[in-house]
Amino acid sequence: MHPPSPTTTGKKFSQAGSIVRLKFTNFMQYKDTEFSCGPNLNVIIGPNGSGKSTIVNGICLGLAGKTSVLGRASSIAEFIKVGEDSAAVEVELFQPDKENVVICRMWDQGGKTNWTVDGKKAGLREVERLVAKFRIQVDNLCQFLPQDKVHDFSRLNSKGLLDSTVDAVGEVELKEKHKELKELQKGMNEGGELFERKRQMLVEKTEQCRRLEEDVKAFDEKAKIEKKITQLEGRMVWSKYQEVRRITKETKERSNQAKKRWEEQEVKMNPLKAALNEAKKKKAGLESKLQTFNGSIKDCMGKAKTHSQNIEKLEEGVEAVEEELEEIDRREEEKKAEMRRIQTLIAEMEAEYNSTEDDTSLGPQLAEARQAAMVTQAQLGEVKTERENLRYEQGNLVRLVKERQAEVVELNNVDRQKLDVLRSKSKETYEAVNWLRSNRDMFKGEVYEPFIVCGNVMDPAQAKYLENCINIRDLTAFFFQDAEDMNTFLNCVRNQKGLKKVSAVKVPDMESKEYQPNIPSTSLAQYGFISYLREMVTAPDSVLAYMCHNHKLHRIPVFKAEAEKFNDKLINEFGLTKFFIGVKLQTVSGSMYSSAKTTMTKEVVGNNTLQVSKDSTRERQVKEEIAEKEREQEQLSIRARSVDDKLRTLNVELESARKLHKDLEQKKNFRARHSAKIEAQRKLLRQQMAESSMEREKEEKVANRKGMVVRMVKSAQQLQAAIAEANKVRMAMELCRLAAQPLEEIIEEKVKAYEAAVESVKEMKVEMENMARELEEGMQALGAALREAKAATGVGQKRDEPPTEVVQVWEKEKFPSRVEDIEVMITELQAQAECMDTVDPRIVADYNKLKETIIELQQDIDRREAIMADSVNKMQEVKEAWLTSLSSLVERINTKFSAHFASMGFAGEVGLSTGQHEDDFENYGVKIRVKYRDSEPLQELTAHHQSGGERSVATALYMLALQELTTVPFRCVDEINQGMDAKNERRVFELLVRTSCSETSAQYFLLTPKLLPGLNYSPRMNILIVNNGPHMCHHTDWNMEAFHDRAAAAEEGARESSGTLGGHLGMVMSGGNCL
């Protein structure tokens, strides 16, 4: 636990949940600040922007409040001090008879929050329960009124004001009773409407039921007759079944007799049938042998064919060997002829050699020719080296030109990237750009594409500044010099193309150079000035002029992050109203009531709209490099052509020198060269003679031919054997065929005899089949009759008898058993039924449903009458208790409020509003009526009837009226005196001091940028002065006792001029983190 701060030592806290101490770490303006609070009125005073409202924000967020309560930012990460990664707020709450409770909230840039209670890790729900236990309500405007929510108080309707008031005074029972009354009233309203509908429905259903009774009686009488007819029909189908069963039984007996006679005749035919089968069996055996013989013949013929094919192949092989032998003889003759040619050539070359001598006088000429060839060879090498160097340089230049050309293409490819960005922001604008590029000749004046496309931010890192200054509409708008062109364009794209979201603007007639900053760049250079937004972007001059005219790009400077220490100087001395420092946007606005200025700080976050930019300077530089390299290429080409000409000349000279050297060399060494040629021919002759003779190859071919002839003879023998075997099988097959011919005649005779016998019993078989069909039809009829009977009445214990209870009904009604008698009785009953009126069965069903519905409705009505009676009694009981307590509370508030208003010379009252009627609990509320001039009537406090100062007075006095009634631990109001005149501000402050500085009063925080001179102060007050500046010391270094000594020394003089100064004085240095 933290020890009590010196500034609160001796201060006695009484309200549980009062704020004892606050500590901020990296929270908005505060780096590391801790200070203590008083138990009664705490006045926090300091200039705008110093960090007063930050204390209110810290109280709200530190006590589990939402950022929406403050109305400043949507994300808690925006409350972290610029340049830091995390922040923390620590709140110490008073707890009687126990150690104080310390709640600490820590969060980072990602919005993740960690909570601790008394140093132990806790969850959000635990902290919310703890705060609720102390009756702290940071979302209740009657308890917690931050700066940006002051004017919301007067906008509260009567219902909202009632709820906030009850919450603020801590009347939990009142709130619960009000909620119970609203639920009871809602249930009664809904139940009453349903009750009346059900009663009306009961009357209607009863009348409907009465009208249907006569029809239902007639339907029942006719139903009895129809039931009796149905019973007779059941009796008739069973009678029919008995008759069909008797007839079927007789048919079955006759069928059995016919079958017996046919079977006896069949037995007499068996010997003839057996003889016929035996003959057929023998014939089948002979046919099987014939098939076997036929297969054997096929096998023999197959073997003969195979041997014949082998003989043909061997004959072809023999012919091929004979051709090879002829080829060997031919090559042998060619070899002998070649040897004779070589021998003749050797003899001729030897004769020439013997008749010729060497020329020894050619030595000097040969040396001179060799030297000339070597010189020319050296010159040629130098020229080739020069040519290779030129080719290398040309290759380098070609590569460099290609690289630069690729860079130009990449730079120009930025246009496609920009179009992709435009399409992601507005697809219709993207389509309009494509249309414009195809139809630009329609317009007489200049037309510029959207700024996303035609604008170029020279440094993409600076694009975020322009994105935070130019709205998306102007970033996607088309720019026209001529108004008629603009109307034509909008008509085409919006009406004809259906691109309704495309926008266009007319550029100003001025040039962009006419827009100059009001503060020269040189004056800002020493403060970390980078440049104005105008210098960060290039675009067509008319487009830049439009952006300067509408968005003041020429007057919005950008500074380095280090320039934050000059923030006040830039605002107060240079009068800047909008500028960037690092990643922060500073916007300065003035108060309509004073010369005070308010600064709003916002983190600068880019949206990737203008980050794609084309470097025109680089493109121009690259194109110049390409032109220079192309000129160098031309010069190298000229040099290369000259070197090629020189190279060709040297090649010709070298070839001539080499030819001369060769001719001289040949003349000088003729005998040596000729001797070498003769030796080469002799060597060739020896090789020819050394080659093996072809006799061996010839012998092998002859042996191969002999083997093939032997195989041919063997195959011919096998062919003869196969043909002989086939002839033998054919002979056996012919004998078998001759043996089978008599059997065919025998079988034919026996078949005729058998067919004659079959014809004799044909009539018996026909008779038997007719009887079988008749029996089958009888069985089908019997089955159909039984199914019909079952369908009519069901079956009894036996499957072919009716149920016992059905038989008993037949006997009771004395139904006849003959079908004819039953048909007569059915006809009579049907005639009676036809004479009666026909009633729709649905009427009877509706009647039965109506009877059931009437019973259910009557039971439901009785139950609801009892419930409504209980609800009325319950609501009256709760209403009396709630209305008595609520009226008493409103009357006490009215007494305080009226007294406060009367003390200031005004009139005001607080009353209870009951809505449309006395039981309209949903619309009960509290209305504040005030008047500030005698000539005016009392008027309800709204956001429209009174001025801002008058609303502030009423708000302050209402909260003071609640101060002595409330059970909440503290109340917080931020700059409520803004807009009050000096007189009202003084009166309100005196009332506040008098009301909130009593010993039993709850803790009160009042935040204000100023206080009037000569105010009276109470010893129970605690005054915190918030200072901000670069030279503030840390709060732990601040010596409050020394400050008190100096203040006491000057107190006498101050007392004489401005009244008595009491209370406790403290300092909060937000810039230097000093308390």
Side-chain angles (χ1 to χ4, degrees):
M1 297 299 295
H2 294 267
S5 175
T7 57
T8 59
T9 303
K11 301 290 184 177
K12 185 176 181 182
F13 285 84
S14 59
Q15 291 279 358
S18 298
I19 298 175
V20 177
R21 179 181 55 84
L22 290 169
K23 181 178 181 180
F24 303 141
T25 304
N26 296 332
F27 181 65
M28 298 182 73
Q29 294 97 322
Y30 295 99
K31 175 69 176 177
D32 179 18
T33 302
E34 182 177 13
F35 59 93
S36 301
C37 307
N40 297 110
L41 177 60
N42 291 271
V43 178
I44 302 173
I45 183 171
N48 285 330
S50 60
K52 304 185 306 300
S53 298
T54 301
I55 297 175
V56 178
N57 297 340
I59 293 173
C60 175
L61 298 178
L63 295 176
K66 305 292 189 297
T67 57
S68 57
V69 174
L70 303 172
R72 288 200 166 204
S74 59
S75 172
I76 193 171
E78 297 182 37
F79 290 90
I80 299 175
K81 183 177 176 63
V82 175
E84 300 295 338
D85 296 328
S86 61
V89 172
E90 188 175 294
V91 184
E92 181 178 347
L93 301 177
F94 176 71
Q95 190 169 218
D97 303 325
K98 294 182 181 179
E99 292 289 340
N100 291 344
V101 176
V102 178
I103 300 174
C104 182
R105 180 176 190 172
M106 296 157 286
W107 67 94
D108 56 23
Q109 290 287 359
K112 182 180 180 181
T113 297
N114 294 316
W115 295 89
T116 62
V117 176
D118 294 336
K120 298 178 181 179
K121 188 174 181 180
L124 175 61
R125 296 290 178 266
E126 181 181 349
V127 175
E128 288 176 341
R129 287 194 295 270
L130 180 61
V131 171
K133 173 186 173 184
F134 287 117
R135 303 182 304 284
I136 298 173
Q137 307 161 22
V138 294
D139 57 348
N140 188 340
L141 296 182
C142 288
Q143 179 182 353
F144 196 84
L145 195 59
Q147 179 180 351
D148 294 327
K149 296 287 186 177
V150 169
H151 295 292
D152 289 350
F153 182 86
S154 59
R155 296 188 179 94
L156 284 174
N157 57 24
S158 60
K159 292 168 57 179
L161 185 58
L162 173 61
D163 293 337
S164 297
T165 300
V166 171
D167 288 339
V169 299
E171 293 287 349
V172 178
E173 186 178 357
L174 268 180
K175 185 175 182 179
E176 292 176 351
K177 288 184 181 296
H178 190 193
K179 180 179 179 181
E180 184 180 1
L181 284 171
K182 287 190 286 186
E183 291 176 351
L184 286 170
Q185 183 61 40
K186 181 179 179 182
M188 288 184 63
N189 290 340
E190 295 175 351
E193 294 174 1
L194 183 60
F195 179 73
E196 289 300 324
R197 288 200 301 271
K198 286 186 176 292
R199 291 186 62 177
Q200 183 63 31
M201 189 184 298
L202 177 62
V203 174
E204 293 173 355
K205 298 296 182 184
T206 304
E207 179 60 24
Q208 291 178 11
C209 190
R210 186 188 63 76
R211 290 197 298 268
L212 294 177
E213 284 181 353
E214 292 298 326
D215 291 337
V216 172
K217 289 179 180 179
F219 180 85
D220 290 341
E221 291 178 3
K222 188 174 182 179
K224 289 179 181 179
I225 294 174
E226 291 175 345
K227 181 179 180 182
K228 193 170 183 179
I229 291 172
T230 301
Q231 291 171 346
L232 281 167
E233 289 174 345
R235 182 69 183 92
M236 184 171 64
V237 295
W238 277 105
S239 297
K240 288 181 178 180
Y241 168 72
Q242 297 296 337
E243 181 66 19
V244 171
R245 187 171 65 173
R246 182 185 61 77
I247 295 171
T248 303
K249 184 177 180 181
E250 294 175 355
T251 303
K252 185 176 181 181
E253 291 176 356
R254 293 199 304 274
S255 176
N256 291 336
Q257 292 174 0
K259 184 177 180 182
K260 184 177 180 182
R261 290 194 297 273
W262 177 78
E263 288 176 349
E264 289 175 352
Q265 188 63 26
E266 280 285 324
V267 170
K268 295 178 181 180
M269 294 173 60
N270 286 339
L272 184 59
K273 186 176 182 180
L276 178 60
N277 290 338
E278 181 65 23
K280 287 182 178 180
K281 184 176 180 182
K282 289 181 179 179
K283 182 182 178 182
L286 292 174
E287 288 177 348
S288 176
K289 287 184 179 181
L290 288 173
Q291 290 178 356
T292 303
F293 290 145
N294 193 33
S296 299
I297 291 173
K298 287 182 179 180
D299 291 341
C300 292
M301 296 306 295
K303 292 178 181 179
K305 184 178 180 180
T306 300
H307 296 318
S308 178
Q309 290 174 348
N310 289 337
I311 292 170
E312 291 176 358
K313 290 180 181 179
L314 289 169
E315 288 177 350
E316 292 174 356
V318 170
E319 292 176 358
V321 169
E322 289 177 349
E323 290 176 357
E324 290 174 357
L325 289 172
E326 292 176 0
E327 177 65 20
I328 291 171
D329 292 339
R330 184 185 62 76
R331 283 187 290 151
E332 185 70 24
E333 289 299 323
E334 288 178 352
K335 179 179 177 182
K336 291 177 180 179
E338 178 65 15
M339 290 173 66
R340 289 194 296 271
R341 185 191 67 78
I342 293 173
Q343 289 172 350
T344 302
L345 179 60
I346 291 172
E348 291 175 354
M349 292 177 70
E350 287 177 345
E352 185 179 3
Y353 176 81
N354 294 327
S355 63
T356 306
E357 295 293 336
D358 286 338
D359 189 353
T360 58
S361 64
L362 297 178
Q365 296 180 23
L366 187 60
E368 183 179 349
R370 185 183 298 110
Q371 182 63 29
M374 291 175 63
V375 171
T376 304
Q377 180 70 37
Q379 292 176 349
L380 185 62
E382 293 176 357
V383 174
K384 284 184 177 180
T385 301
E386 183 179 0
R387 182 68 180 90
E388 290 300 321
N389 291 337
L390 287 174
R391 286 181 178 174
Y392 178 76
E393 292 180 13
Q394 285 179 320
N396 278 342
L397 286 175
V398 170
R399 178 179 55 78
L400 289 173
V401 169
K402 287 183 178 179
E403 289 177 355
R404 296 298 181 270
Q405 289 173 343
E407 187 174 355
V408 170
V409 171
E410 186 63 28
L411 288 171
N412 289 324
N413 199 31
V414 169
D415 181 67
R416 180 186 58 77
Q417 298 178 33
K418 288 186 174 184
L419 288 176
D420 290 342
V421 173
L422 179 63
R423 178 165 51 186
S424 68
K425 301 297 180 183
S426 173
K427 186 176 181 181
E428 292 190 356
T429 305
Y430 168 78
E431 294 177 2
V433 168
N434 291 331
W435 179 88
L436 175 63
R437 292 183 176 183
S438 302
N439 300 275
R440 196 178 290 273
D441 55 352
M442 293 176 56
F443 309 102
K444 57 187 178 182
E446 288 292 336
V447 184
Y448 303 105
E449 295 176 353
F451 194 75
I452 291 177
V453 180
C454 72
N456 282 295
V457 181
M458 289 173 282
D459 183 357
Q462 296 175 341
K464 58 180 176 290
Y465 301 124
L466 289 145
E467 291 168 354
N468 278 268
C469 286
I470 305 174
N471 56 51
I472 191 64
R473 181 184 179 277
D474 283 346
L475 287 175
T476 57
F478 290 82
F479 303 92
F480 289 83
Q481 285 185 336
D482 185 77
E484 186 177 345
D485 283 347
M486 181 176 71
N487 293 331
T488 302
F489 172 78
L490 291 176
N491 179 58
C492 290
V493 298
R494 287 183 177 176
N495 300 331
Q496 298 179 17
K497 302 290 290 181
L499 306 176
K500 302 296 185 182
K501 297 181 181 179
V502 174
S503 61
V505 297
K506 185 180 180 301
V507 297
D509 296 329
M510 299 172 62
E511 296 181 358
S512 63
K513 65 182 180 181
E514 299 180 46
Y515 294 93
Q516 295 296 326
N518 53 354
I519 304 172
S521 301
T522 53
S523 301
L524 301 174
Q526 59 181 316
Y527 302 108
F529 174 75
I530 298 174
S531 75
Y532 285 99
L533 293 184
R534 166 65 181 81
E535 280 73 38
M536 291 182 175
V537 64
T538 60
D541 191 75
S542 298
V543 176
L544 278 180
Y546 175 85
M547 292 301 178
C548 290
H549 181 78
N550 287 278
H551 299 288
K552 304 297 183 290
L553 301 187
H554 59 297
R555 291 188 176 181
I556 302 177
V558 179
F559 297 89
K560 298 178 182 177
E562 295 78 9
E564 186 173 4
K565 59 187 177 182
F566 304 115
N567 187 66
D568 293 342
K569 193 168 187 177
L570 296 174
I571 296 173
N572 298 324
E573 288 189 18
F574 292 101
L576 294 178
T577 58
K578 189 173 184 180
F579 56 95
F580 292 91
I581 296 180
V583 294
K584 294 192 297 183
L585 169 61
Q586 301 286 78
T587 305
V588 183
S589 59
S591 172
M592 66 174 64
Y593 304 106
S594 67
S595 61
K597 295 181 179 180
T598 302
T599 303
M600 180 179 291
T601 303
K602 177 185 175 184
E603 184 178 357
V604 178
V605 179
N607 54 24
N608 298 327
T609 302
L610 297 175
Q611 285 190 349
V612 178
S613 62
K614 180 178 179 180
D615 191 344
S616 301
T617 303
R618 178 57 182 166
E619 182 185 17
R620 184 169 57 257
Q621 180 184 353
V622 172
K623 287 184 176 179
E624 290 175 357
E625 290 182 11
I626 291 173
E628 177 64 25
K629 298 301 179 185
E630 287 177 345
R631 287 193 293 272
E632 291 181 13
Q633 279 183 315
E634 183 62 27
Q635 293 174 1
L636 287 176
S637 297
I638 295 172
R639 289 176 57 192
R641 287 195 293 272
S642 174
V643 171
D644 287 340
D645 293 340
K646 189 176 180 180
L647 194 61
R648 283 193 293 272
T649 302
L650 288 174
N651 277 325
V652 171
E653 293 176 358
L654 179 61
E655 186 63 29
S656 299
R658 284 178 175 174
K659 187 173 182 303
L660 176 61
H661 181 270
K662 183 178 180 181
D663 292 342
L664 293 173
E665 185 72 28
Q666 287 178 350
K667 288 180 180 181
K668 180 182 178 182
N669 300 317
F670 175 79
R671 285 177 63 84
R673 287 186 295 102
H674 220 57
S675 176
K677 288 181 180 180
I678 292 171
E679 183 58 32
Q681 292 299 323
R682 287 175 176 169
K683 183 177 181 181
L684 181 59
L685 179 61
R686 287 195 297 272
Q687 289 176 351
Q688 291 285 348
M689 294 175 69
E691 286 183 359
S692 60
S693 176
M694 295 183 183
E695 287 298 325
R696 184 175 180 182
E697 183 178 359
K698 191 173 180 180
E699 291 174 357
E700 290 176 355
K701 296 296 182 184
V702 171
N704 189 17
R705 181 178 60 182
K706 182 177 179 181
M708 285 189 287
V709 170
V710 172
R711 289 197 297 276
M712 285 173 59
V713 172
K714 185 176 180 180
S715 295
Q717 294 172 352
Q718 291 174 344
L719 175 61
Q720 291 176 355
I723 292 172
E725 180 68 20
N727 291 332
K728 183 178 179 181
V729 173
R730 281 196 187 94
M731 183 65 70
M733 186 172 67
E734 187 64 26
L735 292 173
C736 185
R737 184 180 293 110
L738 291 172
Q741 285 179 354
L743 283 175
E744 291 181 357
E745 296 175 357
I746 295 171
I747 290 171
E748 184 176 355
E749 292 176 358
K750 291 186 180 294
V751 167
K752 289 180 180 179
Y754 181 74
E755 289 177 352
V758 170
E759 185 67 25
S760 65
V761 296
K762 188 174 181 180
E763 293 180 359
M764 293 181 182
K765 186 176 181 181
V766 170
E767 181 184 4
M768 182 191 68
E769 291 174 351
N770 290 337
M771 293 303 299
R773 280 195 297 272
E774 185 178 350
L775 177 60
E776 184 179 357
E777 291 173 357
M779 293 301 292
Q780 291 177 355
L782 181 63
L786 181 59
R787 287 193 295 274
E788 185 179 1
K790 287 181 180 180
T793 64
V795 294
Q797 294 180 353
K798 296 182 178 180
R799 60 178 295 275
D800 58 350
E801 292 181 356
T804 304
E805 60 272 15
V806 174
V807 175
Q808 291 174 353
V809 171
W810 295 344
E811 294 174 351
K812 181 180 179 182
E813 295 291 339
K814 297 182 179 180
F815 290 159
S817 59
R818 294 177 64 248
V819 174
E820 294 80 3
D821 297 337
I822 295 172
E823 289 177 345
V824 170
M825 194 171 184
I826 289 174
T827 302
E828 293 175 354
L829 290 174
Q830 287 176 341
Q832 293 181 20
E834 289 175 358
C835 293
M836 301 177 69
D837 294 333
T838 300
V839 178
D840 192 342
R842 290 177 293 182
I843 294 176
V844 180
D846 293 343
Y847 177 81
N848 294 330
K849 290 181 181 178
L850 283 172
K851 294 291 287 183
E852 294 174 359
T853 303
I854 289 170
I855 295 172
E856 292 176 358
L857 284 172
Q858 188 61 54
Q859 293 173 350
D860 191 44
I861 288 171
D862 294 341
R863 180 178 59 81
R864 288 182 179 277
E865 285 179 344
I867 292 173
M868 289 185 68
D870 293 341
S871 298
V872 169
N873 295 333
K874 177 67 173 177
M875 186 173 69
Q876 193 63 31
E877 178 184 345
V878 175
K879 173 185 172 184
E880 291 177 1
W882 175 73
L883 200 54
T884 300
S885 300
L886 180 61
S887 299
S888 174
L889 174 63
V890 173
E891 183 58 33
R892 283 184 288 158
I893 295 173
N894 179 51
T895 301
K896 297 288 185 182
F897 184 76
S898 300
H900 292 334
F901 252 73
S903 68
M904 295 182 65
F906 308 135
E909 66 179 21
V910 178
L912 188 63
S913 171
T914 60
Q916 296 180 357
H917 52 82
E918 187 179 356
D919 292 338
D920 187 9
F921 303 113
E922 185 66 36
N923 293 309
Y924 263 69
V926 170
K927 287 188 177 180
I928 302 174
R929 303 205 309 161
V930 297
K931 74 172 184 175
Y932 293 92
R933 286 163 285 278
D934 294 335
S935 59
E936 296 178 351
L938 286 169
Q939 290 183 324
E940 184 178 352
L941 179 66
T942 66
H944 310 291
H945 290 160
Q946 292 82 21
S947 66
E950 291 171 346
R951 293 197 300 272
S952 296
V953 170
T955 301
L957 295 184
Y958 188 80
M959 296 186 76
L960 286 175
L962 296 179
Q963 182 71 6
E964 297 179 7
L965 302 175
T966 185
T967 58
V968 296
F970 66 84
R971 200 176 301 280
C972 185
V973 179
D974 189 359
E975 295 195 18
I976 197 169
N977 56 343
Q978 290 299 307
M980 295 185 189
D981 57 29
K983 182 178 179 181
N984 287 337
E985 184 177 351
R986 184 178 298 275
R987 290 174 175 174
V988 169
F989 185 79
E990 290 175 353
L991 277 173
L992 177 61
V993 172
R994 188 165 61 250
T995 304
S996 60
C997 288
S998 64
E999 186 174 356
T1000 59
S1001 179
Q1003 191 179 36
Y1004 203 104
F1005 289 89
L1006 174 65
L1007 287 82
T1008 177
K1010 59 183 177 62
L1011 286 175
L1012 296 173
L1015 294 175
N1016 291 321
Y1017 297 84
S1018 169
R1020 293 185 180 275
M1021 290 173 59
N1022 188 50
I1023 301 175
L1024 296 171
I1025 302 174
V1026 182
N1027 291 307
N1028 192 348
H1031 304 296
M1032 293 296 175
C1033 64
H1034 193 269
H1035 69 273
T1036 56
D1037 299 330
W1038 177 259
N1039 191 335
M1040 184 60 73
E1041 293 180 359
F1043 180 80
H1044 283 170
D1045 292 340
R1046 291 195 300 272
E1051 184 175 2
E1052 291 300 327
R1055 193 187 304 275
E1056 294 176 0
S1057 60
S1058 59
T1060 302
L1061 177 65
H1064 192 82
L1065 186 64
M1067 290 286 183
V1068 179
M1069 284 69 171
S1070 65
N1073 305 305
C1074 187
L1075 174 68

